[in-house]
């Protein structure tokens, strides 16, 4: 299965953040922002934004003289022992923050061995998760996260998936034509969120953005009650802007 590699803004932010972290890690006694700018080649404004995000996520800490050192989160993720649990914990903290800041349930989804999976999610009584009334593995054609994952595959990968999963009509809005779905996936720019406007479930709208790292296909998604559909575009844009910390956790 080949992938369509079209880097998005979170991808570029993650690459820049990794450069900063690699530089910080080389200086066990700390490194100043001026030295970070010189060694990474990043502009002052860009570096300031990245350092703010890295401090918030616990990847770097600022010591008394203003220099930056590796933070606890970086140490936990960088350790072979307990890495998977550290990754889950870090992702959950990030998803919880996204849920609260965007005001929506949020999900990390992966495409693993030809199937859609929900790796982790964050919801609350005020931002309930989607009721999985049809297994997400069999409804990629109707969900924002499924369409985002399929959109990152090549044409043959999409065809293979649809040949294994019948495109059932889940609501009156569900696309059941493979030709129409494939055409829409092909024409969708990678920087534009995929949407589900009551295609999976009546009363729920969703959006998803890609978070592909290397050969791993993934996406970050959100769901809202249809009464909040007026917030969907704004929420999707916020999700896209804040996807870098999730992608960074997966890349370390």
């Amino acid at each position: 299965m080949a992938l369509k590699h079209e880097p998005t803004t979170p991808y570029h932010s993650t690459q820049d953040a990794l450069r900063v972290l690699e530089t910080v890690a080389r200086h066990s006694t700390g490194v100043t922002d001026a030295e970070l700018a010189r060694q990474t080649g990043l502009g002052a404004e860009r570096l300031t934004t990245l350092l703010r995000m890295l401090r918030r996520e616990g990847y770097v800490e600022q010591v008394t003289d203003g220099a930056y050192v590796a933070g606890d989160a970086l140490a936990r993720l960088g350790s072979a022992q307990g890495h998977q649990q550290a990754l889950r914990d870090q992702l959950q903290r990030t998803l919880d923050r996204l849920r609260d800041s965007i005001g929506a349930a949020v999900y990390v989804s992966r495409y693993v061995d030809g199937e859609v999976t929900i790796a982790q999610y964050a919801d609350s009584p005020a931002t309930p998760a989607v009721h999985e009334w049809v297994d997400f593995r069999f409804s990629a054609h109707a969900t924002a996260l499924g369409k985002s994952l399929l959109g990152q595959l090549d044409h043959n990968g999409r065809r293979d998936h649809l040949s294994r999963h019948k495109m059932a009509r889940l609501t009156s809005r569900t696309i059941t034509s493979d030709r129409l779905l494939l055409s829409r996936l092909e024409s969708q720019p990678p920087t534009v969120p995929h949407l589900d406007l009551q295609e999976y479930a009546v009363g729920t709208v969703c959006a998803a953005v890609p978070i592909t790292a290397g050969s791993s296909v993934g996406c970050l998604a959100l769901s809202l009650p249809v009464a909040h559909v007026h917030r969907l575009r704004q929420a999707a844009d916020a999700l896209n802007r804040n996807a870098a910390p999730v992608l960074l956790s997966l890349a370390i």
Side-chain angles (χ1 to χ4, degrees), residues 19 39 41 98 113 148 171 176 188 204 207 219 240 247:
R19 285 160 60 194
Q39 293 190 29
L98 279 175
D113 296 329
S148 180
T171 77
T176 56
Q188 177 93 354
T204 301
C219 73
N240 198 33
L247 187 50

Side-chain angles (χ1 to χ4, degrees), residues 3-243:
L3 306 182
K4 289 178 62 181
H5 283 293
E6 297 180 74
T8 56
T9 299
Y11 173 86
H12 292 302
S13 295
T14 301
Q15 294 303 105
D16 289 346
L18 286 171
R19 285 160 60 194
V20 174
L21 289 179
E22 288 167 0
T23 305
V24 170
R26 288 198 303 267
H27 297 77
S28 58
T29 59
V31 57
T32 65
D33 51 1
E35 188 63 19
L36 279 171
R38 189 185 70 79
Q39 293 190 29
T40 61
L42 295 169
E45 185 176 351
R46 176 69 167 159
L47 181 60
T48 298
T49 300
L50 288 170
L51 286 170
R52 186 183 304 120
M53 181 269 285
L54 292 171
R55 288 180 65 187
R56 185 183 69 237
E57 298 294 324
Y59 291 120
V60 301
E61 296 174 5
Q62 199 168 17
V63 291
T64 51
D65 63 355
Y68 291 90
V69 297
D72 290 341
L74 184 60
R76 287 193 297 268
L77 286 177
S79 172
Q81 185 175 7
H83 172 79
Q84 287 303 316
Q85 187 59 50
L87 174 59
R88 288 190 64 82
D89 292 345
Q90 183 70 21
L91 276 176
Q92 197 61 51
R93 283 190 290 270
T94 302
L95 292 177
D96 289 346
R97 275 195 293 270
L98 279 175
R99 174 202 61 205
D100 295 341
S101 65
I102 296 175
V106 292
Y107 315 76
V108 172
S109 182
R110 310 288 291 277
Y111 196 72
V112 180
D113 296 329
E115 301 294 351
V116 173
T117 64
I118 304 295
Q120 284 178 244
Y121 67 96
D123 67 346
S124 72
T127 56
V130 175
H131 171 58
E132 189 177 357
W133 77 282
V134 175
D135 194 316
F136 287 135
R137 291 176 298 171
F138 309 135
S139 53
H141 63 291
T143 63
L145 61 87
K147 287 185 282 186
S148 180
L149 295 174
L150 293 178
Q152 296 173 63
L153 307 181
D154 65 5
H155 183 77
N156 290 336
R158 296 168 188 163
R159 280 282 188 192
D160 172 72
H161 183 92
L162 296 178
S163 72
R164 292 183 286 108
H165 298 295
K166 177 178 171 57
M167 295 176 60
R169 185 176 299 282
L170 306 183
T171 77
S172 63
R173 295 173 176 266
T174 307
I175 297 173
T176 56
S177 162
D178 58 352
R179 180 178 298 179
L180 176 57
L181 179 65
L182 289 169
S183 173
R184 290 191 177 180
L185 291 175
E186 190 65 36
S187 62
Q188 177 93 354
T191 54
V192 176
H194 285 269
L195 302 179
D196 158 16
L197 302 175
Q198 300 190 88
E199 296 167 53
Y200 173 77
V202 174
T204 301
V205 294
C206 306
V209 297
I211 51 169
T212 302
S215 61
S216 175
V217 173
C219 73
L220 188 60
L222 64 83
S223 64
L224 288 167
V226 70
H228 292 248
V229 67
H230 60 282
R231 293 205 295 118
L232 185 62
R233 293 282 182 178
Q234 184 179 9
D237 289 342
L239 191 73
N240 198 33
R241 287 195 308 271
N242 292 282

